[in-house]
Amino acid sequence: MKSNHKYLFGATTFLGLLFILFIFQGCKNQPAHTFEADVVIYGGTSAAVIAAVEVAQSGKSVIVVSPDIHLGGLTAGGLGWTDTGKKETIGGLARNFYHRVYNHYQQDEAWKWMQKEEYGNTGQGTPAIDGDMRTMWIFEPHIAEQVFEELIQENNIELYRDEWLDRKNGVKKTDGKITSITTLSGKTFQGKMFMDATYEGDLLASAGVSYHVGREGTNVYGEEWNGVQTGVYHHRHHFKVLAQPIDPYWEPGNPVSGLLPRISPDPPGEKGEGDNRIQAYCFRVCMTNHPENRIPFPKPEGYDSTQYELLVRIFDAGWREWFGKFDAIPNRKTDTNNHGPFSSDNIGMNYDYPEASYERRREIIKEHETYQKGLLWFVANDKRVPEDIQTEMKKWGLPKDEFTDNGHWPHQIYVREARRMIGKFVMTENELLKRTPTPQSVGMGSYTIDSHNVQRYVDENGHVHNEGDIGVSLPGPYEIAYGALVPKKEECQNLLVPVCASASHIAFGSIRMEPVFMILGQSAAVAACMAIDKNSAVQDVEYEKLKKRLLHKGQVLTLENIIQ
């Protein structure tokens, strides 16, 4: 009897080992770190989240592969003073996002640091709280992130954070289609359709899709406002606002003494010619003047007061617009943007960012952080700052309840432009200014053509200037072509690009607004699902059917169906 038990035990163990070996062999055939969905979205921006929601609500499986830990990009990263343009052009899931923000601020408990009645309700051309349309366009960063997280949870979206595309070997293509992407952690994501929803365009570049970095010459697309724009002074971010010119040298009038920091020694280039320069980056810093929620501006490691010598000369020339873009958001906070000849825009320090390695990008971001933190510290503490400005500045600081895991500093730098795809159709200023028609609209933009400065240089008279700041009003809302979201068919047949869309530098100056990214994210997702249903290339999606579906989902495609 005893020996039979031994036999049974041995046989069972043998069969168990065989089963384990069988399972192990199966695992070898199917890697443990491979994931699959109908649509794979790379990015953690507002466009990425909205696109994922659309895919899920369309009945398809979706995976979001986000290099970011925090979702929402700039919308949740400090840009709470939304660049709406004409609000009636914002429909679909983008409008739903702003409706959810509205619902939050209808609650009394949402107003922790001020009474709702105290809030001025000022927005960009529209009330911040729009009761008629039940939307709110101005908000705190953590509330925007909260809404994005709710959208992910409500729609059961599979999300992988802190996953960085292997840009060298991570994109596999077969017969003109992406079959999988692999991240640096070793995870592989397979899909029928892919979307690049990053600010940088890393997936499109790694997939071999054509793109451009920098400003095209005016002759490339027959534009007026592209390329070098010396002698153009829009907005108030230039030195012509001052009563006197500013000398750029350490010893005024003596070039041998050397240039002050952050002034380029290079000539600006010929007007209208293209170059590799891109719009300046900055952080959209959230500040507060509420004593109970305020942390004094920190003095950054590596602080160097000499970096702000140019600002001292600007103050000495009588400039007093320092607080011009402390735009009010709820609870006594700001969305603080660049303003004036020398401000948070770190001009000329980002040219290599779009195509830089991840390590180099982190260095650039850190340099921008040190520069901008140092700037805030300088204005609040350096004795050379005018007393009235410094006294007021000391009332401000970083809010305790924002960006709590990042030293209360925004987790997203403002990448105003990086790569821009050269796709099936290229949007230019000619479409935005209604000189030429736009085919196959999948959304609308309406914000002013707005490019920030790209360089700071010395003119022939020995005076310092900024160059590249362009603000051109539009005749009205404009359409954005479906062809601007898809590559040329011969380059890739299953990729859509709603953020680094196909546009010239100057056209992108308007398209680059966060509500537009959300609009294009949803439209791209609808097209991706249709391409799956028809087993077709994204370039072959039937536009009339796409248009019908987008309109059904509340998207605004033309002036005729604009939301009233």
Side-chain angles (χ1 to χ4, degrees):
M1 194 62 148
K2 226 173 185 180
S3 61
N4 287 341
H5 278 305
K6 282 183 179 180
Y7 173 78
L8 289 171
F9 176 77
T12 302
T13 302
F14 177 72
L15 290 172
L17 288 171
L18 283 177
F19 179 75
I20 291 169
L21 286 170
F22 174 78
I23 294 297
F24 179 74
Q25 187 64 35
C27 288
K28 283 175 67 179
N29 294 333
Q30 181 64 37
H33 296 299
T34 297
F35 309 89
E36 188 173 351
D38 292 324
V39 181
V40 176
I41 299 170
Y42 183 59
T45 60
S46 59
V49 176
I50 294 300
V53 171
E54 175 55 50
V55 173
Q57 293 183 357
S58 292
K60 298 287 190 290
S61 60
V62 61
I63 294 175
V64 176
V65 183
S66 173
D68 309 306
I69 295 173
H70 296 275
L71 297 178
L74 257 296
T75 297
L79 207 168
W81 181 263
T82 304
D83 302 307
T84 51
K86 189 172 178 60
K87 64 186 179 183
E88 291 82 2
T89 62
I90 303 170
L93 291 174
R95 177 167 291 274
N96 177 259
F97 169 84
Y98 296 106
H99 173 63
R100 286 169 176 260
V101 173
Y102 171 88
N103 286 341
H104 170 79
Y105 285 106
Q106 291 301 300
Q107 305 171 72
D108 291 339
E109 55 268 30
W111 300 89
K112 182 177 180 180
W113 303 109
M114 69 187 307
Q115 296 295 314
K116 182 179 179 181
E117 294 72 27
E118 298 176 56
Y119 184 60
N121 203 30
T122 301
Q124 292 206 55
T126 183
I129 306 172
D130 188 341
D132 293 338
M133 304 190 86
R134 295 177 61 79
T135 49
M136 187 158 175
W137 310 101
I138 314 295
F139 43 81
E140 299 161 277
H142 76 277
I143 299 305
E145 185 173 0
Q146 176 181 306
V147 172
F148 286 123
E149 291 288 351
E150 290 170 353
L151 287 168
I152 291 290
Q153 293 168 15
E154 289 172 14
N155 291 278
N156 298 311
I157 292 168
E158 192 174 351
L159 168 66
Y160 296 86
R161 305 176 198 258
D162 199 21
E163 290 291 340
W164 298 80
L165 178 68
D166 180 346
R167 290 158 58 186
K168 290 184 178 179
N169 304 301
V171 178
K172 303 302 181 186
K173 288 176 70 178
T174 301
D175 297 328
K177 293 184 178 181
I178 301 171
T179 56
S180 68
I181 63 172
T182 300
T183 58
L184 294 177
S185 72
K187 295 183 180 67
T188 295
F189 301 90
Q190 300 174 344
K192 299 173 184 175
M193 292 286 151
F194 290 80
M195 188 181 300
D196 187 335
T198 65
Y199 290 121
E200 294 83 5
D202 286 340
L203 176 53
L204 76 88
S206 298
V209 170
S210 299
Y211 62 87
H212 189 82
V213 175
R215 302 186 288 187
E216 299 90 350
T218 52
N219 62 324
V220 176
Y221 297 115
E223 297 175 297
E224 178 183 0
W225 298 107
N226 212 337
V228 176
Q229 293 290 319
T230 47
V232 175
Y233 305 106
H234 295 170
H235 298 121
R236 295 185 63 78
H237 311 318
H238 53 79
F239 285 82
K240 288 287 187 178
V241 300
L242 306 177
Q244 62 194 55
I246 300 297
D247 190 292
Y249 303 109
W250 279 105
E251 295 179 14
N254 181 13
V256 176
S257 66
L259 290 168
L260 296 180
R262 301 182 187 273
I263 301 175
S264 171
D266 300 325
E270 295 296 321
K271 186 169 183 178
E273 72 178 6
D275 57 25
N276 70 330
R277 300 180 179 107
I278 57 176
Q279 296 186 60
Y281 296 172
C282 69
F283 289 91
R284 297 290 286 249
V285 178
C286 184
M287 303 183 188
T288 182
N289 63 358
H290 195 296
E292 295 179 37
N293 194 34
R294 183 185 69 223
I295 298 171
F297 296 119
K299 185 178 183 180
E301 184 179 350
Y303 172 75
D304 177 6
S305 66
T306 66
Q307 297 300 308
Y308 313 106
E309 290 291 328
L310 188 57
L311 180 59
V312 173
R313 295 189 185 183
I314 292 169
F315 281 142
D316 288 346
W319 186 74
R320 293 295 182 272
E321 298 179 24
W322 177 254
F323 299 99
K325 285 299 290 179
F326 280 43
D327 294 318
I329 63 175
N331 284 310
R332 288 179 61 173
K333 298 176 186 175
T334 69
D335 167 359
T336 315
N337 196 12
N338 177 78
H339 183 71
F342 188 104
S343 185
S344 58
D345 274 6
N346 196 3
I347 299 172
M349 303 299 287
N350 61 344
Y351 297 155
D352 58 334
Y353 179 91
E355 303 202 76
S357 66
Y358 292 135
E359 182 181 13
R360 174 61 185 145
R361 284 182 187 165
R362 285 191 289 270
E363 292 173 353
I364 294 169
I365 292 169
K366 185 62 178 177
E367 193 278 333
H368 278 66
E369 180 180 337
T370 300
Y371 163 74
Q372 203 164 337
K373 282 182 175 178
L375 178 64
L376 299 175
W377 170 269
F378 180 87
V379 175
N381 294 280
D382 197 283
K383 294 180 180 179
R384 291 171 294 172
V385 173
E387 184 179 358
D388 57 335
I389 290 179
Q390 191 158 94
T391 299
E392 178 64 22
M393 191 65 176
K394 285 182 177 295
K395 298 177 183 177
W396 293 91
L398 303 180
K400 295 178 182 178
D401 58 353
E402 297 290 350
F403 312 117
T404 55
D405 64 346
N406 197 44
H408 312 284
W409 190 258
H411 42 68
Q412 175 66 59
I413 193 170
Y414 196 170
V415 179
R416 288 190 171 94
E417 66 175 328
R419 296 184 180 96
R420 301 185 310 281
M421 179 172 66
I422 303 175
K424 183 179 178 182
F425 184 87
V426 179
M427 295 290 298
T428 72
E429 71 175 46
N430 297 313
E431 286 75 43
L432 276 60
L433 294 171
K434 305 295 179 69
R435 297 171 185 152
T436 55
T438 302
Q440 301 184 336
S441 174
V442 289
M444 299 193 80
S446 62
Y447 199 80
T448 300
I449 294 176
D450 180 24
S451 174
H452 281 233
N453 282 306
V454 307
Q455 64 177 325
R456 180 175 289 135
Y457 70 97
V458 180
D459 70 10
E460 63 277 8
N461 298 313
H463 301 145
V464 63
H465 287 281
N466 294 336
E467 185 273 319
D469 182 84
I470 301 296
V472 178
S473 298
L474 301 172
Y478 57 89
E479 301 168 6
I480 301 172
Y482 177 59
L485 305 187
V486 298
K488 299 168 185 174
K489 190 174 181 180
E490 62 270 21
E491 294 182 345
C492 190
Q493 298 176 27
N494 66 337
L495 176 67
L496 295 111
V497 184
V499 178
C500 293
S502 180
S504 70
H505 157 80
I506 201 63
F508 195 75
S510 173
I511 294 170
R512 66 185 179 85
M513 305 307 157
E514 289 288 302
V516 177
F517 287 156
M518 290 192 237
I519 291 166
L520 298 182
Q522 181 177 10
S523 293
V526 172
C529 293
M530 291 179 65
I532 291 172
D533 289 340
K534 293 293 185 180
N535 192 28
S536 71
V538 292
Q539 293 84 0
D540 296 333
V541 169
E542 295 181 59
Y543 176 69
E544 288 304 318
K545 291 182 179 179
L546 174 61
K547 175 182 176 180
K548 183 177 180 180
R549 192 169 297 186
L550 293 177
L551 290 173
H552 177 72
K553 291 176 178 291
Q555 292 281 63
V556 180
L557 306 184
T558 66
L559 288 173
E560 284 69 35
N561 56 74
I562 202 166
I563 295 173
Q564 299 298 332

